[in-house]
Amino acid sequence: MEFIAPVDAVFLLAESREQPMHVGSLQLFEPPEDAGADFAARVHAELLRSTDVDPTFRKHPATLFGSPQMAWTRADHVELDYHVRRLAVPAPGRMDQLVELASGLHSSLLDRHRPLWEFHLIEGLADGRFAMYSKMHHALIDGVSAQRLLRRTLTSDPASSTTRVPWHLPRGRRRRESGAAGPARNLLSAAASGASVLRAARTALTRQQLTLPFAAPRTMFNVPIGGARRAAVRSWPLERLQQVKKASGSTLNDVVLTMSAGALRRYLIERDALPDKPLIAMVPMSLRAEDDDETNGVKVGAVLCNLGTDIADPLDRLRVVAGSMRDGKDVYSTLSCNQTMALSALMLSPLALNLVPALISLTNPTFNIVISNVPGPREPMYWNGARLDATYPLSIPFDGQAVNITLTSNAGNLDFGVVGCRRSVPQLPRLLDHLEESLAELERATA
């Protein structure tokens, strides 16, 4: 038994039927030419034979001192045919039917009496492709490490037929800290750095470098939500965004955020719901080193970014976004990893008010939306000889934050996954159309 780090425990304490706290991914694969009609069935059978399960994938909450959120215990036996399932899209097997199936899977809670993960192999698409929908609890793994974990199951060799499964991969290069020692050490370090964090926060506030909590306007996204989810996914050629980046002298992430800002502006104008003040996005920053392959816990900081949604001109909006991100990063660049986590927690601490739904309507939102860009593979990747066509991240809407935009790179594409509360965000797929319109607008402005 090991104690749960406080930052991880928050995702268990905050979870409810209306607010599932798992991160997901929908991967789309093209089988090899000689695969045969039973390819997915054979892959599923091979997965079930991979019975060696890493300790992280045996963890579920233990009851300690009457609370089920304070410590982890590990299952002696993992029932793989529960955690690894085979499903099919109904006829005629369209892509929108696959996404609808994934939306339903993403809406349901993970069973806390079992290890907190599931994988669903999905076949039946009319074009012959198959998909893998996965979900893992955010208390167990953060979004960046989940994407890295899935990436480690892939290979750049199309001829490789070795089945690599997420629940049993070679141990990472960085030594795993077990028990309470690692989280305790992080907490002590963060506490010891409290004075420097407060100095950094004071300096940032004096220079007005940080976008602050409660500066966000109230929007139709910042309401209590229900448990049902709707997902929408689409891919864009990376080269299109790279051209805007080069022409504007900004970063790729600045272009992504501005593209998203333009889409949100159009979506809200369409519903006569655009506020006069600019929307504020929480942009997660991974604090994991590039060689950190471990899966334990959450290592994420946060920047609050002014999206400039009150600005009609796309280049002016891009300048505002770039400046806001630059100022936020300048503050964090002077801090250690633990100090960054501590300052991020200080910035996001008002979010705790969202744990009391009745208070959501009484305060301005801490921020309006989460927009997360997770780096992915830069070359074509394969799994069991099948080519990875797309990998759509599906993240977490929560009370007061009814929609989430997460994307990842995959070879020459950027794969967007938009997830929203089914009740609060009508016609969610329209955001995909607006993302395309927003990118085209930036391309015209920088041509």
Side-chain angles (χ1 to χ4, degrees):
M1 189 176 293
E2 66 182 78
F3 288 106
I4 299 177
V7 69
D8 300 341
V10 166
F11 292 100
L12 291 169
L13 291 166
E15 186 168 61
S16 66
R17 175 64 195 93
E18 291 74 28
Q19 192 165 272
M21 284 290 178
H22 50 258
V23 291
S25 178
L26 181 64
Q27 295 176 297
L28 195 60
F29 293 95
E30 175 75 35
E33 290 184 5
D34 59 350
D38 64 341
F39 181 77
R42 287 187 281 114
V43 170
H44 181 250
E46 187 66 28
L47 295 178
L48 294 182
R49 284 193 286 270
S50 303
T51 56
D52 195 356
V53 180
D54 184 88
T56 297
F57 282 80
R58 294 179 178 272
K59 289 164 63 170
H60 62 91
T63 299
L64 185 65
F65 307 128
S67 171
Q69 287 90 24
M70 293 181 63
W72 294 114
T73 188
R74 288 188 170 90
D76 294 327
H77 171 69
V78 176
E79 191 179 356
L80 270 186
D81 56 1
Y82 174 86
H83 291 272
V84 184
R85 307 178 195 178
R86 181 182 166 207
L87 302 174
V89 177
R94 298 188 310 268
M95 184 66 186
D96 64 313
Q97 292 175 294
L98 171 65
V99 176
E100 184 66 15
L101 175 57
S103 298
L105 295 171
H106 202 60
S107 301
S108 60
L109 293 168
L110 289 160
D111 183 354
R112 293 197 182 188
H113 298 285
R114 298 173 180 270
L116 297 177
W117 57 275
E118 292 178 8
F119 290 85
H120 300 258
L121 187 70
I122 306 172
E123 53 190 309
L125 287 169
D127 61 11
R129 293 186 293 179
F130 70 95
M132 176 72 84
Y133 167 77
S134 60
K135 64 180 176 182
M136 293 170 267
H137 204 284
H138 208 311
L140 190 71
I141 191 170
D142 63 53
V144 170
S145 51
Q147 287 293 321
R148 288 186 183 179
L149 182 72
L150 293 174
R151 195 191 319 168
R152 287 170 59 208
T153 67
L154 305 171
T155 177
S156 58
D157 180 9
S160 174
S161 58
T162 302
T163 300
R164 293 167 60 88
V165 294
W167 54 90
H168 182 69
L169 288 169
R171 192 175 289 265
R173 290 183 290 272
R174 296 172 70 88
R175 186 174 68 85
R176 195 184 303 252
E177 292 179 316
S178 60
R185 190 178 298 114
N186 287 341
L187 284 175
L188 289 172
S189 179
S193 65
S196 61
V197 169
L198 290 176
R199 283 196 300 272
R202 184 168 61 248
T203 300
L205 296 179
T206 301
R207 298 178 182 173
Q208 295 186 325
Q209 281 180 278
L210 283 178
T211 300
L212 299 178
F214 298 124
R218 178 159 298 284
T219 75
M220 61 179 289
F221 303 135
N222 308 117
V223 295
I225 64 174
R229 300 286 175 263
R230 175 176 281 124
V233 304
R234 190 176 296 179
S235 299
W236 276 268
L238 181 58
E239 178 61 22
R240 292 181 62 186
L241 285 85
Q242 293 280 18
Q243 289 296 331
V244 175
K245 167 194 165 183
K246 293 174 186 176
S248 63
S250 55
T251 70
L252 180 63
N253 201 46
D254 292 339
V255 177
V256 165
L257 289 168
T258 307
M259 177 181 171
S260 301
L264 292 167
R265 174 182 165 85
R266 288 170 179 270
Y267 181 89
L268 291 171
I269 287 175
E270 200 170 60
R271 283 153 185 79
D272 195 25
L274 180 69
D276 294 333
K277 293 177 62 178
L279 271 64
I280 305 299
M282 192 277 271
V283 183
M285 300 186 306
S286 174
L287 304 180
R288 294 184 182 274
E290 280 300 315
D291 63 345
D292 186 351
D293 286 335
E294 297 302 332
T295 57
N296 283 354
V298 178
K299 295 182 182 178
V300 177
V303 172
L304 298 186
C305 177
N306 180 341
L307 290 179
T309 50
D310 57 329
I311 300 171
D313 185 88
L315 283 183
D316 288 343
R317 192 182 313 126
L318 176 57
R319 293 185 191 103
V320 167
V321 168
S324 182
M325 286 300 294
R326 183 174 57 250
D327 289 345
K329 289 176 181 177
D330 284 348
V331 171
Y332 285 113
S333 67
T334 64
L335 305 178
S336 69
C337 174
N338 285 325
Q339 290 171 332
T340 297
M341 289 186 73
L343 181 55
S344 296
L346 179 66
M347 293 288 289
L348 300 181
S349 57
L351 198 59
L353 294 174
N354 286 353
L355 299 180
V356 185
L359 296 180
I360 292 174
S361 61
L362 302 180
T363 63
N364 276 0
T366 312
F367 47 84
N368 298 111
I369 189 171
V370 177
I371 304 176
S372 183
N373 184 358
V374 182
R378 299 181 180 180
E379 58 184 328
M381 302 298 285
Y382 299 83
W383 183 61
N384 285 287
R387 187 187 70 235
L388 177 68
D389 277 358
T391 178
Y392 299 111
L394 303 178
S395 196
I396 307 173
F398 46 94
D399 263 332
Q401 306 287 331
V403 68
N404 174 289
I405 299 175
T406 304
L407 62 139
T408 190
S409 52
N410 173 42
N413 288 330
L414 282 179
D415 299 334
F416 280 70
V418 183
V419 181
C421 168
R422 207 172 186 96
R423 181 187 66 196
S424 307
V425 189
Q427 296 181 298
L428 181 74
R430 286 289 294 154
L431 274 171
L432 300 178
D433 298 331
H434 293 318
L435 282 167
E436 169 57 32
E437 294 160 358
S438 180
L439 176 56
E441 183 181 52
L442 283 168
E443 289 173 320
R444 290 192 295 271
T446 55

